[in-house]
Amino acid sequence: MSNPSVSIALTGSGGAGVMTAGQMLLTAAARAGCYGLMSRSLGPQIRGGESAALLRLSTAPVDGPDDIFDLLLAFDWGNIDRFAAELPLNENSVVIYDPGQGPVPEVVREPGPRLVQVPLKEIAKGIPGGRENMVGLGLITTLIGLDAASLRQVIEERLGRKGAEAVDTSWQAVEAGAEAATVDGLPRLDQASPAAPGSRWQISGNDAVGLGALRGGVRFVAAYPITPATEILEWMAVNLPKVGGALVQCEDELASVCMALGGSYAGVPSMTATAGPGLALMTEAIGLGVASETPVVIANVMRGGPSTGIPTKSEQSDLNIACYGLHGDAPHIVTAPTSIADCVFTAQWTVYLAEALQCPAILLSDQAMGQAQAVIEKPAEVAFIGRRKVARPADLENYQRYRITADGISPVALPGMPGGQHTADGLEHAPSGTPSTQAAHHQEQLDKRRRKLDRFDYGDHWAIRAGDPEAELALITFGSLTGAARDAVTRCAEAGLPVRLIAPRLLLPVQVERLEAALAGATKLLIVEQNHEAQLRHLLAGHIRLPAVVDSLNRAGPLTIRPGEIVSALTTLAA
Amino acid sequence: MSAIDADTAAPVLKASDYKSDVKPVWCPGCGDFSVLSAITKALAELGIPPHEAVVASGIGCSSRIPAYTTVYGFHSVHGRALPVASGIKLARPELTVLAAGGDGDGFSIGGNHFIHACRRNVDMTYIVMDNAVYGMTKGQASPTTEPDWTASKLTPDGPGISAFQPLEMALSAGAQFIARGFTANPNTLAHLICQAIRHPGFSLVQVLSPCITYRPEQRAYKNRVHQHFGHPEPATDRREAFARLMDDDGFSLGVLYKGSQPVYQPAPAPSATPEEVAAQFAIC
Ligand SMILES: Cc1ncc(C[n+]2csc(CCOP(=O)(O)OP(=O)(O)O)c2C)c(N)n1
């Protein structure tokens, strides 16, 4: 069944408290037993400026946005032109706005939503210390039928520190908002039963990557801040020391990736996080990681590019640099989580792969996932067997760091191990590690570095599969669009159109055989991705035999690709 | 560690125990041979077992040095010796960590790391083999080259910009041990390196290391060098150290400055499991 959900957008200029209200709404929904997703759209201002909290709440798990917002609550119209395109409305949508904030702009009026005036500011003024965002919260929770007790609980948790008076004031504002909720016809949330305490989490994609990496064993992080990846680093700065790790802020990304390589060479699983401009700076040293066979994880949270691009908004346009950005023949690992919940798993798995394969691994997240919060089922604790293949005493007799082995993986000696001394080198080398310019050495080391990636068993984790595996129509996507793709596949199935969905977690090395097997029998393929140049399509076309008919649904950010668009594209392709 | 232990009777380590049998790429007469010698002597003198020391380097003739030793080494990319070395030391504080390389590597492409490594004050020793030229790429001007040096085809009229002053930069940026050595006498140099390794925090040893291939005139360094920055004892006061540097002709040898700022070393103590940390996300 398709997902019965309510989509709500809260907009307002800085000071309106839009993000706080959105967060509280999400938490209240979670307390009431619902799932939800909240992403944010921010303007370029450092503080204040326009912002929108975009929520989708449901009694079933949500991994992506819906087609249309059921409700837009506008505290004001500040700079609405800049992001109205990210808030699709139609004639069934309801727009609640404050008449004191001027007329409804044409961009909002144009799709024909129902317009409802509520004097949010005036209502708030009627309560000493009352705030409009709390009025808005009361209004929304009542309209969608969310249990008031859950909201009360959230307010007490958030404001309890400030004393009973602060809680009372907010609660009065909420009640005043509830009284103003006289609009009918809005979709309401089904009654959910509260989940067992601790069985669900509220987490952002960026925090989830941090946690996954920590679970995976990362204990050293070298950091340089960049939007929209900084939260990964900030989360780790606080949480890594708790488990005995350390984070260092560096002078730039050239330093951060090299410090991480240093930490890893010393034997401690290490990572850094960045976005496009930082990844570009890191590429030379990632190549060093490939040649010297030093594991390192680089979490890259994609934003609009090229150059500084659109730092605050999502895009999936770093796939090319992640896969092809290294000089020389430099096989490495590129992964992509398929949802916020999956960020935990994929980050942990990525650390495991980097360590097991003694190779740099780039994890591609994106802003839509990284800076969004979701209410999810508590992610399972997974244990991967095996870590970096560390030299045993027998290996240390006449030790050769880059010994040629059947699986391409050579036991590594770590500083402190007597007899394991060697020089890790980005210069091509003989098996001993001694620099070499000989053709045979170059060939055998290139072969080995390729072989270790090709021979490894990635298991079932290489992709998420959904839909009908026998369907003639196939759909491939990656990253944060996987949620919309899942919704689209469900809707198509309900309409009698079977579709098979493949969302690779492992983008590099391209899983040629597995992808071809997953596509076997499919006659038509739609590739969905959030970038201008159809980078995923070109990556796939360069490696695997694709079905006879291939179409792309690709668009640059920041306008996310919504499930309805995917359904249309699939329907057209099927016809 | 070098003392003979009654039970295990560990042999006293000699300089030769730290020299690998890999043949250096260096030209005959290169000053870097003597730096290699001095490093091995210093490690032997300090009795640091080869498996407990790491040398990280960038790219250049001088940066080849790790493979010529028997300690652990990381020959990284051009300019990044210091971040790599910092990562090693921060991840494994018990190791003795050296960074080594050329003046181009350290002051040009790696110049920003140099400044911030001085500031950060991680406990490690940075040995710069300064030949005032890019040796590996066959003789271009480096940051420490004189503005009127016209022997490079890349800057036939001379680089025309004033030379970088490594010691002034290091002092400004916060390095806690600053010294200059020369290759003529490996024993003296070894002594300097010993002091640098012993000093807690970030230590810089600028070694005047002649490149007789592209800067044959540097053979005359031996006539220009002299002891002390005007005083036999190192300054412990930055103002005093700056004053001594203002009178330096670039050929004063010895320890300029010893500071006592605290070493940067995050020292986390595990108190939680990852699952305890994860509990923060649970909805109760
Ligand atoms: C990113 C990058 N740019 C340029 C080079 C070419 N390169 C190699 S060594 C070097 C300069 C070496 O000079 P220095 O660090 O002074 O060391 P020396 O060879 O004199 O010991 C250059 C420019 C490189 N390897 N990498």
Side-chain angles (χ1 to χ4, degrees), chain A residues 519-552:
Chain A
L519 285 170
T523 54
K524 294 176 176 178
L525 168 66
L526 180 70
I527 302 173
V528 179
E529 54 189 311
Q530 194 87 53
N531 61 61
H532 187 264
E533 305 284 327
Q535 298 182 12
L536 178 61
R537 179 178 181 160
H538 293 298
L539 178 70
L540 295 174
H543 286 83
I544 63 171
R545 259 172 297 133
L546 294 174
V549 182
V550 181
D551 201 2
S552 269

mmCIF file of all heavy atoms in Angstrom, chain A residues 519-552:
data_model
loop_
_atom_site.group_PDB
_atom_site.id
_atom_site.type_symbol
_atom_site.label_atom_id
_atom_site.label_comp_id
_atom_site.label_asym_id
_atom_site.label_seq_id
_atom_site.Cartn_x
_atom_site.Cartn_y
_atom_site.Cartn_z
ATOM 1 N N LEU A 519 19.589 -7.355 -13.348
ATOM 2 C CA LEU A 519 18.858 -6.782 -14.489
ATOM 3 C C LEU A 519 18.406 -7.844 -15.486
ATOM 4 O O LEU A 519 17.686 -7.530 -16.440
ATOM 5 C CB LEU A 519 19.740 -5.757 -15.219
ATOM 6 C CG LEU A 519 19.934 -4.402 -14.527
ATOM 7 C CD1 LEU A 519 21.018 -3.596 -15.235
ATOM 8 C CD2 LEU A 519 18.629 -3.617 -14.483
ATOM 9 N N ALA A 520 18.833 -9.094 -15.281
ATOM 10 C CA ALA A 520 18.545 -10.136 -16.274
ATOM 11 C C ALA A 520 17.037 -10.223 -16.533
ATOM 12 O O ALA A 520 16.245 -10.272 -15.593
ATOM 13 C CB ALA A 520 19.081 -11.482 -15.787
ATOM 14 N N GLY A 521 16.679 -10.195 -17.778
ATOM 15 C CA GLY A 521 15.262 -10.299 -18.143
ATOM 16 C C GLY A 521 14.562 -8.955 -18.226
ATOM 17 O O GLY A 521 13.460 -8.858 -18.761
ATOM 18 N N ALA A 522 15.177 -7.925 -17.705
ATOM 19 C CA ALA A 522 14.547 -6.596 -17.810
ATOM 20 C C ALA A 522 14.774 -6.061 -19.222
ATOM 21 O O ALA A 522 15.861 -6.198 -19.778
ATOM 22 C CB ALA A 522 15.138 -5.651 -16.780
ATOM 23 N N THR A 523 13.736 -5.488 -19.797
ATOM 24 C CA THR A 523 13.888 -4.965 -21.159
ATOM 25 C C THR A 523 14.029 -3.452 -21.171
ATOM 26 O O THR A 523 14.495 -2.875 -22.144
ATOM 27 C CB THR A 523 12.676 -5.357 -22.017
ATOM 28 O OG1 THR A 523 11.486 -4.922 -21.330
ATOM 29 C CG2 THR A 523 12.626 -6.864 -22.232
ATOM 30 N N LYS A 524 13.585 -2.838 -20.112
ATOM 31 C CA LYS A 524 13.655 -1.378 -20.047
ATOM 32 C C LYS A 524 14.183 -0.931 -18.683
ATOM 33 O O LYS A 524 13.865 -1.533 -17.671
ATOM 34 C CB LYS A 524 12.269 -0.772 -20.261
ATOM 35 C CG LYS A 524 11.724 -1.018 -21.654
ATOM 36 C CD LYS A 524 10.326 -0.489 -21.783
ATOM 37 C CE LYS A 524 9.835 -0.658 -23.226
ATOM 38 N NZ LYS A 524 8.455 -0.184 -23.374
ATOM 39 N N LEU A 525 14.969 0.120 -18.722
ATOM 40 C CA LEU A 525 15.584 0.592 -17.477
ATOM 41 C C LEU A 525 15.462 2.110 -17.364
ATOM 42 O O LEU A 525 15.744 2.834 -18.322
ATOM 43 C CB LEU A 525 17.074 0.201 -17.465
ATOM 44 C CG LEU A 525 17.939 0.842 -16.377
ATOM 45 C CD1 LEU A 525 17.534 0.361 -14.983
ATOM 46 C CD2 LEU A 525 19.420 0.526 -16.622
ATOM 47 N N LEU A 526 15.044 2.549 -16.188
ATOM 48 C CA LEU A 526 15.029 3.987 -15.882
ATOM 49 C C LEU A 526 16.104 4.252 -14.822
ATOM 50 O O LEU A 526 16.154 3.566 -13.801
ATOM 51 C CB LEU A 526 13.654 4.412 -15.346
ATOM 52 C CG LEU A 526 13.520 5.901 -15.000
ATOM 53 C CD1 LEU A 526 13.527 6.768 -16.263
ATOM 54 C CD2 LEU A 526 12.256 6.165 -14.180
ATOM 55 N N ILE A 527 16.951 5.235 -15.088
ATOM 56 C CA ILE A 527 17.995 5.588 -14.120
ATOM 57 C C ILE A 527 17.674 6.975 -13.562
ATOM 58 O O ILE A 527 17.536 7.939 -14.319
ATOM 59 C CB ILE A 527 19.391 5.561 -14.776
ATOM 60 C CG1 ILE A 527 19.656 4.168 -15.363
ATOM 61 C CG2 ILE A 527 20.471 5.937 -13.763
ATOM 62 C CD1 ILE A 527 20.922 4.055 -16.182
ATOM 63 N N VAL A 528 17.522 7.034 -12.254
ATOM 64 C CA VAL A 528 17.080 8.265 -11.598
ATOM 65 C C VAL A 528 18.213 8.822 -10.736
ATOM 66 O O VAL A 528 18.765 8.096 -9.893
ATOM 67 C CB VAL A 528 15.835 8.001 -10.724
ATOM 68 C CG1 VAL A 528 15.382 9.281 -10.028
ATOM 69 C CG2 VAL A 528 14.700 7.436 -11.576
ATOM 70 N N GLU A 529 18.561 10.057 -10.929
ATOM 71 C CA GLU A 529 19.664 10.645 -10.157
ATOM 72 C C GLU A 529 19.548 12.157 -10.127
ATOM 73 O O GLU A 529 18.966 12.766 -11.022
ATOM 74 C CB GLU A 529 21.006 10.230 -10.764
ATOM 75 C CG GLU A 529 21.125 10.549 -12.256
ATOM 76 C CD GLU A 529 22.363 9.941 -12.906
ATOM 77 O OE1 GLU A 529 23.445 10.121 -12.338
ATOM 78 O OE2 GLU A 529 22.237 9.317 -13.980
ATOM 79 N N GLN A 530 20.129 12.737 -9.063
ATOM 80 C CA GLN A 530 20.004 14.171 -8.843
ATOM 81 C C GLN A 530 21.265 14.887 -9.326
ATOM 82 O O GLN A 530 22.076 15.360 -8.537
ATOM 83 C CB GLN A 530 19.798 14.432 -7.337
ATOM 84 C CG GLN A 530 19.323 15.837 -7.012
ATOM 85 C CD GLN A 530 17.822 15.976 -7.069
ATOM 86 O OE1 GLN A 530 17.118 15.221 -6.432
ATOM 87 N NE2 GLN A 530 17.337 16.940 -7.831
ATOM 88 N N ASN A 531 21.442 14.910 -10.644
ATOM 89 C CA ASN A 531 22.535 15.710 -11.206
ATOM 90 C C ASN A 531 22.233 16.006 -12.659
ATOM 91 O O ASN A 531 21.380 15.372 -13.273
ATOM 92 C CB ASN A 531 23.891 15.008 -11.031
ATOM 93 C CG ASN A 531 23.937 13.666 -11.731
ATOM 94 O OD1 ASN A 531 23.788 13.569 -12.939
ATOM 95 N ND2 ASN A 531 24.110 12.602 -10.950
ATOM 96 N N HIS A 532 22.928 16.973 -13.189
ATOM 97 C CA HIS A 532 22.628 17.507 -14.515
ATOM 98 C C HIS A 532 23.135 16.619 -15.631
ATOM 99 O O HIS A 532 22.586 16.589 -16.717
ATOM 100 C CB HIS A 532 23.258 18.902 -14.618
ATOM 101 C CG HIS A 532 22.900 19.652 -15.848
ATOM 102 N ND1 HIS A 532 23.708 19.661 -16.966
ATOM 103 C CD2 HIS A 532 21.825 20.409 -16.141
ATOM 104 C CE1 HIS A 532 23.135 20.409 -17.897
ATOM 105 N NE2 HIS A 532 21.988 20.871 -17.433
ATOM 106 N N GLU A 533 24.236 15.886 -15.374
ATOM 107 C CA GLU A 533 24.937 15.203 -16.462
ATOM 108 C C GLU A 533 24.682 13.698 -16.513
ATOM 109 O O GLU A 533 25.374 12.997 -17.240
ATOM 110 C CB GLU A 533 26.447 15.462 -16.344
ATOM 111 C CG GLU A 533 26.830 16.943 -16.305
ATOM 112 C CD GLU A 533 26.763 17.623 -17.666
ATOM 113 O OE1 GLU A 533 27.049 16.947 -18.684
ATOM 114 O OE2 GLU A 533 26.424 18.822 -17.708
ATOM 115 N N ALA A 534 23.744 13.212 -15.734
ATOM 116 C CA ALA A 534 23.445 11.766 -15.715
ATOM 117 C C ALA A 534 24.702 10.938 -15.417
ATOM 118 O O ALA A 534 25.075 10.022 -16.135
ATOM 119 C CB ALA A 534 22.798 11.321 -17.029
ATOM 120 N N GLN A 535 25.353 11.270 -14.310
ATOM 121 C CA GLN A 535 26.639 10.645 -13.985
ATOM 122 C C GLN A 535 26.503 9.158 -13.678
ATOM 123 O O GLN A 535 27.364 8.363 -14.067
ATOM 124 C CB GLN A 535 27.278 11.381 -12.794
ATOM 125 C CG GLN A 535 27.586 12.843 -13.102
ATOM 126 C CD GLN A 535 28.255 13.560 -11.933
ATOM 127 O OE1 GLN A 535 28.700 12.942 -10.972
ATOM 128 N NE2 GLN A 535 28.347 14.881 -12.012
ATOM 129 N N LEU A 536 25.448 8.768 -12.994
ATOM 130 C CA LEU A 536 25.262 7.346 -12.674
ATOM 131 C C LEU A 536 25.030 6.549 -13.959
ATOM 132 O O LEU A 536 25.562 5.453 -14.139
ATOM 133 C CB LEU A 536 24.084 7.164 -11.711
ATOM 134 C CG LEU A 536 23.755 5.722 -11.326
ATOM 135 C CD1 LEU A 536 24.926 5.044 -10.616
ATOM 136 C CD2 LEU A 536 22.504 5.646 -10.451
ATOM 137 N N ARG A 537 24.245 7.121 -14.838
ATOM 138 C CA ARG A 537 23.978 6.433 -16.107
ATOM 139 C C ARG A 537 25.290 6.168 -16.851
ATOM 140 O O ARG A 537 25.519 5.075 -17.375
ATOM 141 C CB ARG A 537 23.048 7.279 -16.960
ATOM 142 C CG ARG A 537 22.773 6.619 -18.302
ATOM 143 C CD ARG A 537 21.828 7.429 -19.137
ATOM 144 N NE ARG A 537 21.578 6.760 -20.403
ATOM 145 C CZ ARG A 537 20.536 7.011 -21.168
ATOM 146 N NH1 ARG A 537 19.640 7.899 -20.783
ATOM 147 N NH2 ARG A 537 20.383 6.372 -22.304
ATOM 148 N N HIS A 538 26.158 7.177 -16.884
ATOM 149 C CA HIS A 538 27.413 6.990 -17.608
ATOM 150 C C HIS A 538 28.324 5.981 -16.906
ATOM 151 O O HIS A 538 29.013 5.217 -17.572
ATOM 152 C CB HIS A 538 28.119 8.333 -17.810
ATOM 153 C CG HIS A 538 27.359 9.229 -18.741
ATOM 154 N ND1 HIS A 538 27.127 8.891 -20.057
ATOM 155 C CD2 HIS A 538 26.754 10.417 -18.551
ATOM 156 C CE1 HIS A 538 26.408 9.839 -20.637
ATOM 157 N NE2 HIS A 538 26.159 10.785 -19.747
ATOM 158 N N LEU A 539 28.293 6.006 -15.585
ATOM 159 C CA LEU A 539 29.097 5.026 -14.839
ATOM 160 C C LEU A 539 28.626 3.609 -15.184
ATOM 161 O O LEU A 539 29.433 2.723 -15.489
ATOM 162 C CB LEU A 539 28.960 5.263 -13.332
ATOM 163 C CG LEU A 539 29.706 4.288 -12.429
ATOM 164 C CD1 LEU A 539 31.210 4.492 -12.523
ATOM 165 C CD2 LEU A 539 29.251 4.416 -10.974
ATOM 166 N N LEU A 540 27.306 3.408 -15.165
ATOM 167 C CA LEU A 540 26.766 2.072 -15.449
ATOM 168 C C LEU A 540 27.021 1.685 -16.896
ATOM 169 O O LEU A 540 27.469 0.571 -17.182
ATOM 170 C CB LEU A 540 25.270 2.039 -15.136
ATOM 171 C CG LEU A 540 24.896 2.238 -13.663
ATOM 172 C CD1 LEU A 540 23.375 2.336 -13.499
ATOM 173 C CD2 LEU A 540 25.460 1.116 -12.796
ATOM 174 N N ALA A 541 26.765 2.621 -17.803
ATOM 175 C CA ALA A 541 26.929 2.311 -19.232
ATOM 176 C C ALA A 541 28.377 1.951 -19.541
ATOM 177 O O ALA A 541 28.648 1.168 -20.452
ATOM 178 C CB ALA A 541 26.482 3.499 -20.079
ATOM 179 N N GLY A 542 29.303 2.510 -18.767
ATOM 180 C CA GLY A 542 30.717 2.226 -19.004
ATOM 181 C C GLY A 542 31.148 0.855 -18.494
ATOM 182 O O GLY A 542 32.253 0.407 -18.796
ATOM 183 N N HIS A 543 30.299 0.224 -17.697
ATOM 184 C CA HIS A 543 30.718 -1.036 -17.089
ATOM 185 C C HIS A 543 29.848 -2.240 -17.415
ATOM 186 O O HIS A 543 30.348 -3.359 -17.441
ATOM 187 C CB HIS A 543 30.762 -0.886 -15.557
ATOM 188 C CG HIS A 543 31.920 -0.081 -15.068
ATOM 189 N ND1 HIS A 543 31.913 1.287 -15.032
ATOM 190 C CD2 HIS A 543 33.135 -0.464 -14.604
ATOM 191 C CE1 HIS A 543 33.076 1.719 -14.559
ATOM 192 N NE2 HIS A 543 33.827 0.683 -14.291
ATOM 193 N N ILE A 544 28.545 -2.024 -17.575
ATOM 194 C CA ILE A 544 27.675 -3.206 -17.683
ATOM 195 C C ILE A 544 26.813 -3.157 -18.945
ATOM 196 O O ILE A 544 26.620 -2.100 -19.538
ATOM 197 C CB ILE A 544 26.747 -3.359 -16.441
ATOM 198 C CG1 ILE A 544 25.785 -2.166 -16.326
ATOM 199 C CG2 ILE A 544 27.552 -3.507 -15.176
ATOM 200 C CD1 ILE A 544 24.721 -2.388 -15.267
ATOM 201 N N ARG A 545 26.327 -4.341 -19.304
ATOM 202 C CA ARG A 545 25.375 -4.426 -20.415
ATOM 203 C C ARG A 545 24.010 -3.998 -19.891
ATOM 204 O O ARG A 545 23.448 -4.624 -19.001
ATOM 205 C CB ARG A 545 25.294 -5.858 -20.951
ATOM 206 C CG ARG A 545 26.084 -6.064 -22.236
ATOM 207 C CD ARG A 545 26.130 -7.521 -22.612
ATOM 208 N NE ARG A 545 26.842 -8.275 -21.573
ATOM 209 C CZ ARG A 545 26.408 -9.411 -21.038
ATOM 210 N NH1 ARG A 545 25.276 -9.940 -21.426
ATOM 211 N NH2 ARG A 545 27.105 -10.031 -20.095
ATOM 212 N N LEU A 546 23.498 -2.916 -20.432
ATOM 213 C CA LEU A 546 22.219 -2.394 -19.970
ATOM 214 C C LEU A 546 21.106 -2.953 -20.845
ATOM 215 O O LEU A 546 21.358 -3.386 -21.974
ATOM 216 C CB LEU A 546 22.229 -0.867 -20.037
ATOM 217 C CG LEU A 546 23.203 -0.155 -19.085
ATOM 218 C CD1 LEU A 546 23.225 1.348 -19.340
ATOM 219 C CD2 LEU A 546 22.849 -0.437 -17.635
ATOM 220 N N PRO A 547 19.859 -2.962 -20.347
ATOM 221 C CA PRO A 547 18.742 -3.393 -21.187
ATOM 222 C C PRO A 547 18.664 -2.553 -22.469
ATOM 223 O O PRO A 547 19.250 -1.464 -22.543
ATOM 224 C CB PRO A 547 17.519 -3.141 -20.297
ATOM 225 C CG PRO A 547 18.038 -3.179 -18.907
ATOM 226 C CD PRO A 547 19.431 -2.640 -18.978
ATOM 227 N N ALA A 548 17.914 -3.045 -23.436
ATOM 228 C CA ALA A 548 17.880 -2.401 -24.756
ATOM 229 C C ALA A 548 17.387 -0.959 -24.681
ATOM 230 O O ALA A 548 17.895 -0.082 -25.365
ATOM 231 C CB ALA A 548 16.984 -3.215 -25.689
ATOM 232 N N VAL A 549 16.402 -0.731 -23.831
ATOM 233 C CA VAL A 549 15.852 0.625 -23.728
ATOM 234 C C VAL A 549 16.246 1.217 -22.379
ATOM 235 O O VAL A 549 15.950 0.646 -21.327
ATOM 236 C CB VAL A 549 14.314 0.599 -23.861
ATOM 237 C CG1 VAL A 549 13.758 2.025 -23.806
ATOM 238 C CG2 VAL A 549 13.904 -0.105 -25.146
ATOM 239 N N VAL A 550 16.932 2.339 -22.426
ATOM 240 C CA VAL A 550 17.348 2.994 -21.190
ATOM 241 C C VAL A 550 16.907 4.450 -21.230
ATOM 242 O O VAL A 550 17.057 5.118 -22.262
ATOM 243 C CB VAL A 550 18.882 2.952 -21.015
ATOM 244 C CG1 VAL A 550 19.296 3.609 -19.700
ATOM 245 C CG2 VAL A 550 19.397 1.529 -21.078
ATOM 246 N N ASP A 551 16.342 4.897 -20.142
ATOM 247 C CA ASP A 551 15.959 6.304 -20.074
ATOM 248 C C ASP A 551 16.482 6.882 -18.759
ATOM 249 O O ASP A 551 16.715 6.144 -17.803
ATOM 250 C CB ASP A 551 14.431 6.448 -20.154
ATOM 251 C CG ASP A 551 14.036 7.848 -20.610
ATOM 252 O OD1 ASP A 551 14.939 8.671 -20.886
ATOM 253 O OD2 ASP A 551 12.818 8.114 -20.690
ATOM 254 N N SER A 552 16.660 8.195 -18.769
ATOM 255 C CA SER A 552 17.145 8.862 -17.561
ATOM 256 C C SER A 552 16.101 9.818 -17.039
ATOM 257 O O SER A 552 15.451 10.516 -17.811
ATOM 258 C CB SER A 552 18.395 9.692 -17.891
ATOM 259 O OG SER A 552 19.544 8.932 -17.700
#
